[in-house]
Amino acid sequence: MTRVIIVRHGQSTYNIERRIQGRTDVSTLTEKGRSDASKVGKALSNISFNAIYCSPLQRAKQTTEIIHSELTSDVGKSAIVQTSDQLLEIDLPLWEAMLTTEVEQQFAEDYRIWHERPDELKMLVNKAGETQEHFPVLALYEQARQFWQEVLPHHQGETILIVGHNGINRALISTALGIHPSRYHSLQQSNCCISVLNFAGGLGEPVQLESMNQTQHMGETLPSLRPHHQGVRLLLVRHGETQWNRETRFQGQIDVPLNDNGRQQAQKAGEFLQNVAIDFAVSSTMARPKETAEIILQHHPDVNLELQAGLREISHGLWEGKLEVEIDQEFPGELHLWRTAPATVQMPEGENLQQVWERSTATWQAIVESALANQRQTGLIVAHDATNKTLLCHILGLPADNFWNFRQGNGAVSVIDYPAGLNGLPVLQAMNITSHLSGGVLDKTAAGAL
């Protein structure tokens, strides 16, 4: 695997002023931005980076220099920092250096399109004496694709660091996973956040989002709510480890309990979320997520746990209780198909992903609607590996074919916001946070790779 760690630059002067930065190079790091960059460096200090790429804009270059100075591995210290124009921030020439409020007033219709249909935003710009149409988001996604196509072939099996900006980082993650540009605002990138992608090869080959928008190294448990947030925040957790997880035995809807490590993972998740105000909680009806939720809720004694059958794990049918080697012997070729084209697999006497999709997304939607109707802000949802991956595909507008693009560690936390209620698209604020389990930025749970 090629491991790619993506970082957004630290807080800048324009961030503080709420100005559109784009490709202007006036904005520099604030004191907090420099401090946070140092914290990123410490969090990444023991990782051996074979190469480091950054945007040529000074807020990204300053962040990179501070991170580089904190690296302790010989490989990381000796890695040369290379700037790439393909890591430049999104190009918004008509808005750059303006306050967000000024853009909202002077370009009201375009600003609405930017928020609701970002891929359709069009600017008329003068180039070489000619007026040309410029689609900022579409151009950014093409820029991201070009970066991957040029860089990945040079680093097969290596670990690289990328330091960019909010927009280009979203585009890098989106083009890697196949997320449509219309979902540009459905991914969040906080200042100095850390995201991790694992590539099996080049662009278009299997890729896994290991984690996204980690902020814990800066002392932020979860990313902050967006300004004017009007909706619900859901904390999606995978249950703790079971003995069958450890054995790589397919459990599906067999009610296997947590093992001791799984209970410890649930306790650590509970400690991680103890200061988060949780208003309601929902779990799959099965024992392992129910126990995980109950352990987490020991820190929230006033919250009742609701059970929903729609969040159950996929039924593996005749595969349940079997090891991978046994499935391969009894159902030749099917396990390979499950790993490479999961949406095409009908589990023998069990379910297919479409069935899991229908019941889990219907339950998810009902949870969101109920929370909004009852004016409840933050909910804990505890479910399973396949269920969570299916829900993440749904949230980002991806088909079930993208099921394997998301890692879900036992006891991991993901954060999904509905900033505009049901009137807007959901936002994946953070995914597969496992720092409370491993103490670092990499997922070291028993969850498999691809």
Side-chain angles (χ1 to χ4, degrees):
M1 303 294 292
T2 301
R3 171 169 277 150
V4 181
I5 296 181
I6 302 175
V7 174
R8 183 186 173 194
H9 65 77
Q11 183 192 73
S12 68
T13 49
Y14 271 25
N15 287 148
I16 290 288
E17 295 168 15
R18 295 191 55 75
R19 288 188 186 276
I20 307 293
Q21 304 193 94
R23 297 192 172 176
T24 57
D25 205 14
V26 178
S27 183
T28 57
L29 294 189
T30 62
E31 188 176 336
K32 174 176 167 50
R34 289 189 293 273
S35 172
D36 286 345
S38 179
K39 291 173 183 174
V40 174
K42 287 181 172 66
L44 301 178
S45 62
N46 293 321
I47 296 174
S48 295
F49 291 104
N50 301 97
I52 300 173
Y53 293 90
C54 78
S55 160
L57 299 176
Q58 59 179 330
R59 57 191 185 272
K61 285 175 70 177
Q62 290 172 338
T63 303
T64 309
E65 288 161 5
I66 294 168
I67 293 171
H68 193 220
S69 71
E70 297 282 0
L71 299 181
T72 57
S73 79
D74 290 338
V75 177
K77 282 192 291 189
S78 63
I80 298 168
V81 176
Q82 304 171 64
T83 59
S84 170
D85 285 351
Q86 288 170 347
L87 294 176
L88 282 165
E89 180 56 306
I90 187 169
D91 190 14
L92 297 166
L94 304 186
W95 296 358
E96 283 175 357
M98 293 178 68
L99 294 171
T100 304
T101 51
E102 293 172 342
V103 174
E104 205 169 353
Q105 291 165 1
Q106 294 180 36
F107 299 90
E109 179 58 18
D110 283 345
Y111 193 69
R112 186 181 64 80
I113 292 170
W114 163 250
H115 276 287
E116 295 177 6
R117 305 188 307 279
D119 54 317
E120 295 179 20
L121 177 67
K122 178 176 68 176
M123 291 183 173
L124 297 177
V125 296
N126 191 299
K127 287 189 177 178
E130 289 184 12
T131 301
Q132 297 181 7
E133 290 184 342
H134 170 56
F135 290 85
V137 173
L138 297 183
L140 187 71
Y141 276 55
E142 181 54 35
Q143 176 186 315
R145 275 188 286 271
Q146 288 176 11
F147 177 83
W148 288 133
Q149 286 163 353
E150 289 181 18
V151 168
L152 287 174
H154 297 292
H155 300 290
Q156 293 300 300
E158 295 184 346
T159 299
I160 66 173
L161 172 65
I162 294 170
V163 182
H165 307 264
N166 190 358
I168 185 59
N169 287 8
R170 293 186 200 180
L172 288 169
I173 295 168
S174 295
T175 52
L177 302 180
I179 299 169
H180 194 270
S182 62
R183 298 282 183 145
Y184 174 75
H185 294 300
S186 290
L187 298 177
Q188 177 70 345
Q189 290 287 283
S190 303
N191 289 116
C192 275
C193 71
I194 297 172
S195 302
V196 183
L197 279 167
N198 298 315
F199 288 87
L203 189 65
E205 295 183 68
V207 59
Q208 177 201 66
L209 185 62
E210 179 177 314
S211 63
M212 194 198 77
N213 205 34
Q214 297 184 67
T215 56
Q216 296 70 46
H217 50 284
M218 296 178 289
E220 297 175 14
T221 304
L222 303 175
S224 58
L225 291 168
R226 289 186 171 188
H228 315 301
H229 181 100
Q230 299 170 355
V232 177
R233 164 165 283 190
L234 297 181
L235 309 176
L236 181 63
V237 177
R238 183 185 175 195
H239 65 76
E241 184 187 85
T242 69
Q243 193 54 36
W244 282 20
N245 284 146
R246 186 165 286 265
E247 296 171 5
T248 67
R249 192 179 294 276
F250 278 65
Q251 44 195 0
Q253 295 189 359
I254 293 179
D255 226 357
V256 184
L258 298 182
N259 61 16
D260 287 344
N261 186 46
R263 292 186 189 93
Q264 285 182 352
Q265 289 171 330
Q267 286 166 2
K268 288 176 180 177
E271 290 162 8
F272 177 65
L273 296 172
Q274 64 182 338
N275 295 321
V276 176
I278 294 174
D279 304 308
F280 63 99
V282 184
S283 164
S284 155
T285 51
M286 301 186 70
R288 51 195 187 268
K290 180 173 177 286
E291 186 179 0
T292 302
E294 288 168 347
I295 292 170
I296 292 171
L297 291 175
Q298 287 174 359
H299 297 279
H300 307 269
D302 297 332
V303 177
N304 294 320
L305 180 62
E306 179 188 340
L307 303 179
Q308 285 285 354
L311 296 176
R312 291 189 322 278
E313 181 58 296
I314 184 172
S315 170
H316 288 300
L318 297 179
W319 291 12
E320 292 184 356
K322 291 181 166 62
L323 296 169
E324 292 183 358
V325 65
E326 296 170 329
I327 294 168
D328 248 346
Q329 289 170 353
E330 293 182 42
F331 305 91
E334 287 297 305
L335 195 57
H336 175 73
L337 203 59
W338 171 241
R339 289 179 179 141
T340 55
T344 66
V345 175
Q346 172 63 56
M347 297 290 174
E349 297 186 21
E351 291 182 297
N352 57 44
L353 277 183
Q354 183 59 35
Q355 290 169 302
V356 178
W357 183 291
E358 288 171 4
R359 61 173 169 80
S360 63
T361 57
T363 302
W364 180 267
Q365 204 66 12
I367 290 169
V368 175
E369 289 173 7
S370 172
L372 287 168
N374 293 291
Q375 297 184 320
R376 296 186 294 186
Q377 176 77 62
T378 304
L380 172 71
I381 315 294
V382 185
H384 308 260
D385 187 31
T387 316
N388 288 11
K389 288 174 175 173
T390 303
L391 288 169
L392 289 167
C393 287
H394 164 69
I395 287 157
L396 293 173
L398 292 170
D401 293 321
N402 290 70
F403 177 83
W404 290 114
N405 283 149
F406 303 101
R407 185 169 169 116
Q408 288 291 281
N410 292 110
V413 179
S414 300
V415 184
I416 298 95
D417 283 352
Y418 285 78
L422 286 174
N423 298 321
L425 293 172
V427 177
L428 184 61
Q429 284 276 1
M431 195 212 75
N432 203 42
I433 300 168
T434 59
S435 58
H436 52 287
L437 306 170
S438 64
V441 300
L442 302 178
D443 182 352
K444 297 177 182 175
T445 65
L450 274 176

